[in-house]
């Protein structure tokens, strides 16, 4: 059954949704869910080859939906400080060629080594936050030219339970997590009535863990299971639902939606 015309499932039908960090993990699942809801999805990451493969994957899984709402892809390097604002402008230009945006889900991150406190440098501190906090702040600066100021529209950041409950060695990431939460609240005021929120996941099993040795990975996953009340590790398909909820609920803004398996209770 098509979602078109349905009161709840049809809320994203024909809406233009930009997913930044769309080629894997939570970002891919957000894009996939948006396609299922009949949205026109714009996929972005730093690698055009991966974007092409992601678009082909979605095209193969949802041929009729993608035919009705063709996908757009655009590579954007978020780690290039010198050209960051230019790169974001290029992304937004590409994303709005046939209409302004309705929703942005910012799921981009990087797998850079997290510096320990004893190894900190100014460059290491800054580098840890450029993709997660600095880049979306600059996008917010540009956004009013590419998105109507309406409560129907939204900009969703990604945080993490590590901000409230950091593991040893994660002080820098907890610092930037707190900065992302402050930025979200400030932007919810500055961009109003556009809605600005955060999804804050706990431990989620995504492709970023693929490079770990089997024994090391299983040990980490077991630790994640034990430090939850559900006894499970997050599935990106489940976490993606939080982003879709934020897009559809026109009364949520300045808020953190947590999906962490009860990690903060253990």
């Amino acid at each position: 059954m098509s979602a078109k015309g349905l009161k709840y499932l049809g809320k994203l039908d024909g809406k233009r949704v930009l997913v930044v960090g769309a080629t894997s993990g939570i970002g891919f699942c957000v894009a996939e869910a948006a396609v299922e809801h009949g949205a026109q999805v714009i996929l972005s990451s730093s690698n055009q080859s991966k974007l092409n493969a992601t678009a082909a994957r979605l095209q193969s899984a949802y041929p009729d939906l993608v035919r009705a709402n063709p996908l757009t892809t655009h590579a954007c390097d978020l780690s290039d400080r010198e050209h960051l604002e230019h790169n974001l402008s290029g992304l937004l230009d590409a994303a709005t060629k046939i209409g302004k945006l309705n929703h942005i889900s910012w799921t981009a991150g990087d797998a850079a080594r997290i510096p320990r406190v004893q190894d900190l440098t100014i460059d290491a501190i800054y580098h840890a936050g450029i993709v997660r906090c600095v880049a979306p702040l600059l996008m917010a600066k540009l956004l009013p030219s590419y998105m109507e100021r309406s409560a129907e529209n939204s900009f969703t950041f990604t945080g993490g339970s590590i901000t409230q409950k950091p593991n040893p060695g994660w002080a820098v990431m907890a610092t930037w997590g707190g900065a992302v939460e402050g930025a979200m609240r400030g932007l919810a005021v500055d961009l109003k009535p556009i809605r600005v929120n955060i999804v804050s996941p706990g431990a989620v099993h995504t492709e970023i863990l693929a490079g770990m040795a089997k024994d090391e990975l299983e040990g980490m996953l077991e630790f994640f299971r034990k430090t939850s009340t559900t006894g499970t590790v997050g599935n990106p398909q489940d976490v993606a639902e939080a982003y879709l909820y934020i897009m559809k609920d026109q009364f949520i803004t300045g808020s953190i939606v947590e999906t962490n398996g009860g990690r903060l209770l253990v």
Side-chain angles (χ1 to χ4, degrees), residues 77-90:
D77 185 355
L78 301 174
S79 65
D80 182 354
R81 321 181 189 188
E82 184 178 352
H83 303 103
L84 182 55
E85 187 167 344
H86 172 77
N87 292 347
L88 289 169
S89 293

Side-chain angles (χ1 to χ4, degrees), residues 7 25 63 83 102 209:
K7 185 187 297 184
H83 303 103
N102 299 107
L209 303 178

Side-chain angles (χ1 to χ4, degrees), residues 229-261:
T229 62
T230 59
T232 59
V233 180
N235 183 326
Q237 294 179 13
D238 292 328
V239 175
E241 297 282 0
Y243 295 81
L244 272 289
Y245 158 65
I246 287 172
M247 292 181 208
K248 293 192 287 184
D249 181 354
Q250 296 181 19
F251 202 50
I252 182 171
T253 191
S255 299
I256 300 173
V257 176
E258 296 183 1
T259 170
N260 56 39

Side-chain angles (χ1 to χ4, degrees), residues 160-175 263-264:
S161 63
I162 206 75
T163 302
Q164 286 77 35
K165 191 177 181 181
N167 293 327
W170 283 71
V172 172
M173 298 312 297
T175 297
R263 179 177 183 267
L264 301 183

Side-chain angles (χ1 to χ4, degrees), residues 26 28 41 87 105 188 214 252 262:
I26 295 170
F28 172 79
V41 180
N87 292 347
S105 289
K214 184 177 180 180
I252 182 171

Side-chain angles (χ1 to χ4, degrees), residues 133 137 157 177-190 196 198:
C133 187
L137 271 171
F157 288 39
V180 169
E181 292 184 7
M184 175 272 293
R185 294 186 183 96
L187 291 173
V189 175
D190 289 342
V196 186
I198 285 178

Side-chain angles (χ1 to χ4, degrees), residues 94-254:
T96 55
K97 282 185 177 178
I98 60 172
K100 290 190 174 184
L101 293 169
N102 299 107
H103 305 285
I104 298 175
S105 289
W106 189 282
T107 65
D110 53 37
R113 179 177 175 272
I114 300 167
R116 300 175 302 171
V117 171
Q118 57 266 40
D119 299 325
L120 288 181
T121 64
I122 291 174
D123 282 346
I125 294 169
Y126 184 80
H127 181 75
I130 189 168
V131 172
R132 293 171 174 82
C133 187
V134 177
L137 271 171
L138 281 176
M139 177 169 274
K141 169 189 173 180
L142 303 170
L143 195 56
S145 297
Y146 299 93
M147 179 182 285
E148 299 290 349
R149 285 185 178 264
S150 167
E152 294 182 6
N153 301 333
S154 71
F155 186 8
T156 304
F157 288 39
T158 298
S161 63
I162 206 75
T163 302
Q164 286 77 35
K165 191 177 181 181
N167 293 327
W170 283 71
V172 172
M173 298 312 297
T175 297
W176 280 110
V180 169
E181 292 184 7
M184 175 272 293
R185 294 186 183 96
L187 291 173
V189 175
D190 289 342
L191 296 179
K192 66 180 182 183
I194 293 171
R195 297 177 293 105
V196 186
N197 298 281
I198 285 178
V199 172
S200 181
V204 182
H205 192 176
T206 68
E207 294 92 332
I208 201 169
L209 303 178
M212 297 180 66
K214 184 177 180 180
D215 290 347
E216 184 182 4
L217 174 60
E218 185 50 44
M220 177 178 287
L221 294 177
E222 182 59 23
F223 171 77
F224 290 157
R225 295 184 193 105
K226 289 180 177 178
T227 53
S228 72
T229 62
T230 59
T232 59
V233 180
N235 183 326
Q237 294 179 13
D238 292 328
V239 175
E241 297 282 0
Y243 295 81
L244 272 289
Y245 158 65
I246 287 172
M247 292 181 208
K248 293 192 287 184
D249 181 354
Q250 296 181 19
F251 202 50
I252 182 171
T253 191

